[in-house]
Every structure is written in C-alpha cells, then in structure tokens.
Amino acid sequence: MLTRRPVVLGGLACATVLPGLSACSGGTAEQEAAQGLRRSTAPASSDATAIRHAVVHSATLAPSSHNTQCWRFHIAEGAITIEPDFARRCPAVDPDDHHLFVSLGCATENLVHAALANGLHAEPRADADGRIVVDLAPSRPFASPLFHAIALRQCTRGDYDGHALAPAELRQLEQAGTGDGVSVRLLTERPAIESVLGYVVAGNTAQMDDPAFVAELTAWIRFSAAEALRSGDGLFTGASGNPALPRWLGTRAMRLFFTPKSENERYARQIRNSAGIAVFVSQRSDRTHWVEAGRCYERFALRATALGIRNAFLNPPVEVSAIRPQFAAWLGLKADERPDLVVRFGRGAAMPMSMRRPVQAVLV
C-alpha cells in the first residue's frame, strides 16, 4: 500500500500564488523523468546481467506504502532474491509491517511477468520471514498483456466516471485477484459501497487524529517536482492532481487544509463515483500470505490497467487496529482471516506518475 492518499492543498495554493511560483503546476520535469523511468529497459544483447537488471527495473515499478520502495534485490546466477528494506518501513500506518510485505508481493508479481518477457521462467517462493527467492530458468520469451501494463499501472487517486463495469470485466478482475490462500470480494451494489464508506471514514478520522500518522505521512510527501526528482520516492502532490509547492508552504497547507472533514468529503465523493470496491482477504495473517496478497492485488491492478480500468487504495479500515475487526465482522470473515486491502475501481482519467529510484539504488 498502500497508504497512498491525495493531500488537499488546492485551497491555499490556488489562492496564494507567490512570485515566480506556478502553484498549480503539474511538475513537467518530474513527469518527464517519471515517464522515462517506465520505458522498457529490455537489453539489446543477451547479456545475463543486463537482462536481470531489466527484470528488477520492472519489479521496482510496483506500488509500495507511501511509495517508500521498501525492497532490496540480490541478483545471483539462477535467482533473484527480494528482501524487505526495514529502513523504509512506516511504523505509524503499518506497525506490523503488513503493507511492507504486501509491497514485496507486488514487486514479485511484476518480476514474474518481466522475467517471462525476457526469456526467463520465474518461480517465487516466500519463506516464513517474508523473504522471497525467485528461481529463474530459461524459457521462450512471452510479453503478456500484464507485462505491457506494468509501465502504465498507477494508483489513480482522482475521480472516476461512476459507470458500472461489464460482467465479463468483473470476472476477469476477480480471477486475477485470486491466489493461493487469498481471495478478492468485488462489491458493486450501492448499499455495500456505502457501508465500506462508513468504515473508511471511521478509519480516516482515527488516523488524522493521530499526530504520529500525520507526521509520518508529511515526511513522505514530496511537495515539489524538484523534491520528487531529488528523492526518487515518496508521494508527489502532482500525482494526485494537487499543486506543486515548496516544502515550507506545503507543510503549512497541510496544517490548514488537511483535515478529517476535507478528507472524508473527498473519500465520500470518490467512493460514490467508483464502479465498485475490491476487498482482498487472506486465509491467515502471516508474512507468507501478505506477500501473496500483494501478488494478487498487483495482478488485479495489471489486469485492470490492461482493460482501461483505474484503481486506488482505500485502506483506513484495514490499517486502524480498532476498526479492522469490525470491518472483518461486517465482511463475515472467519477468525483466522484478515482483510488485507481495500481498493476502489472504475474508469477515469490518468494522473501524473510517481517517481522511482534507479535499479542500482535497490541492489545489494
């Protein structure tokens, strides 16, 4: 997560334009860099190291909590190992590292599709600690529609058109989001969607009343294109349609305009203009299942991207420990089951892309 949320800054920025500051700019330089990072890095030769670097590059385009990119990759002759980078964990929003290991699962799913496109069959296996070893063997190259979707996939944190999806599309999304010990529930009826909204509002209100949560989120926000380019990570405000600002002004805007009321109103509008809500559920709550939940979500997101469908996280109901059991009970889950992720989906316009660090920065 996958806690990737827009930040409402427009009121201050569009009313207070400082000399020389294009307050409502989308960050052209940042977007050119972000788009460049998503271009294929398929090697022109059959050099094994170059091929594996290309595969890791695709893996790094996966989503992660606050776009922390909380992973490290070790390349060996017959395998690529994906390990957690605990220096990039988010203890306020993710105290048990659930989202961190979901993020590793997302990266794993990208890696599997990218490996096959580069002539390698990938066989992942996660141990009890959540460390993932992906064994590689020569295979006939096949660039699937999901591989082509990797560079285009994004958590689209804007409004959708509110139109229902076709039954065949819903079946494809459900199939993509189902895995080993993980299922996805697609909620498309309006009463159920309104019930989810209630849990989102309750969770969001609790989070925004927590100073540690707000401080952690603020630390990972990149208020300007220059800041996003410099760090290569974090939540660039332009990616949610908000203005680019210098950090000193952005942090002031956060204090003034980032309120439970404004966020809850945005959630209500965007949930109501979505085609539906997907809830990912693990049979057991452990790191192996969390990794699998990440793989299932990423496969869902790639299939949605291939179909021209947008998605974004709505995770407060599964992040707030006091709300999660209530949400699980509403879903009718068994005692050992855990709701992992809540995702809205529908059709809408693309938003600016988030940044990524270069491959060399994540290799060990």
Side-chain angles (χ1 to χ4, degrees):
M1 133 148 188
L2 303 224
T3 304
R4 304 179 63 181
R5 57 176 68 205
V7 180
V8 180
L9 303 176
L12 175 63
C14 294
T16 309
V17 181
L18 302 182
L21 173 64
S22 177
C24 295
S25 166
T28 302
E30 187 274 344
Q31 277 310 288
E32 289 177 354
Q35 294 289 351
L37 286 170
R38 285 163 174 76
R39 296 191 187 102
S40 173
T41 58
S45 69
S46 58
D47 178 73
T49 299
I51 290 172
R52 283 157 176 75
H53 281 201
V55 169
V56 170
H57 166 260
S58 290
T60 66
L61 299 182
S64 57
S65 187
H66 291 341
N67 192 27
T68 58
Q69 302 165 43
C70 47
W71 41 57
R72 299 185 299 179
F73 299 84
H74 176 72
I75 297 176
E77 183 175 349
I80 295 175
T81 301
I82 307 175
E83 300 176 346
D85 185 349
F86 289 113
R88 291 176 167 267
R89 65 187 299 267
C90 296
V93 73
D94 188 29
D96 61 358
D97 295 321
H98 169 273
H99 286 341
L100 185 152
F101 285 98
V102 168
S103 300
L104 299 189
C106 294
T108 300
E109 187 66 21
N110 278 9
L111 193 150
V112 168
H113 296 292
L116 186 58
N118 283 279
L120 294 168
H121 173 74
E123 193 67 41
R125 43 190 172 88
D127 61 25
D129 292 329
R131 179 173 171 269
I132 305 154
V133 178
V134 185
D135 294 316
L136 302 173
S139 177
R140 182 176 180 180
F142 174 64
S144 69
L146 299 194
F147 167 72
H148 289 299
I150 289 173
L152 302 174
R153 182 217 59 81
Q154 65 173 189
C155 294
T156 308
R157 301 182 296 280
D159 290 327
Y160 301 159
D161 64 14
H163 296 162
L165 301 188
E169 293 174 324
L170 293 172
R171 286 194 294 271
Q172 289 187 61
L173 293 179
E174 185 175 22
Q175 182 179 20
T178 301
D180 186 9
V182 176
S183 61
V184 61
R185 304 185 181 193
L186 303 185
L187 309 176
T188 57
E189 299 297 326
R190 288 296 146 182
I193 291 173
E194 287 295 316
S195 294
V196 173
L197 171 58
Y199 288 106
V200 170
V201 167
N204 176 66
T205 301
Q207 287 179 325
M208 295 194 63
D209 284 340
D210 178 4
F213 170 85
V214 175
E216 182 177 85
L217 175 63
T218 304
W220 283 102
I221 290 176
R222 308 299 177 238
F223 290 101
S224 69
E227 192 176 16
L229 284 166
R230 185 167 57 252
S231 67
D233 60 13
L235 301 169
F236 175 48
T237 55
S240 55
N242 286 296
L245 299 169
R247 173 161 281 275
W248 69 267
L249 183 56
T251 54
R252 291 185 183 182
M254 284 277 290
R255 290 192 294 270
L256 288 170
F257 294 99
F258 186 55
T259 66
K261 182 177 184 294
S262 66
E263 282 290 278
N264 288 336
E265 288 175 350
R266 177 188 59 80
Y267 273 129
R269 184 186 75 251
Q270 293 186 338
I271 288 173
R272 288 169 177 155
N273 64 37
S274 298
I277 305 292
V279 182
F280 291 80
V281 176
S282 291
Q283 289 180 355
R284 297 185 62 182
S285 185
D286 57 37
R287 289 178 174 182
T288 302
H289 282 82
W290 301 346
V291 169
E292 181 67 14
R295 292 195 63 189
C296 290
Y297 163 72
E298 185 68 353
R299 197 160 52 246
F300 171 98
L302 294 175
R303 177 58 65 191
T305 301
L307 292 169
I309 298 166
R310 307 291 176 188
N311 80 93
F313 293 108
L314 298 169
N315 280 328
V318 300
E319 292 169 346
V320 179
S321 60
I323 303 295
R324 188 167 60 244
Q326 301 172 31
F327 186 57
W330 176 78
L331 290 167
L333 302 189
K334 299 176 182 177
D336 291 339
E337 293 181 317
R338 173 169 176 155
D340 290 296
L341 301 167
V342 185
V343 179
R344 67 185 179 97
F345 58 87
R347 286 192 162 85
M351 302 294 286
M353 293 287 193
S354 59
M355 287 296 296
R356 289 296 187 277
R357 294 181 294 156
V359 168
Q360 291 299 332
V362 299
L363 294 179
V364 293

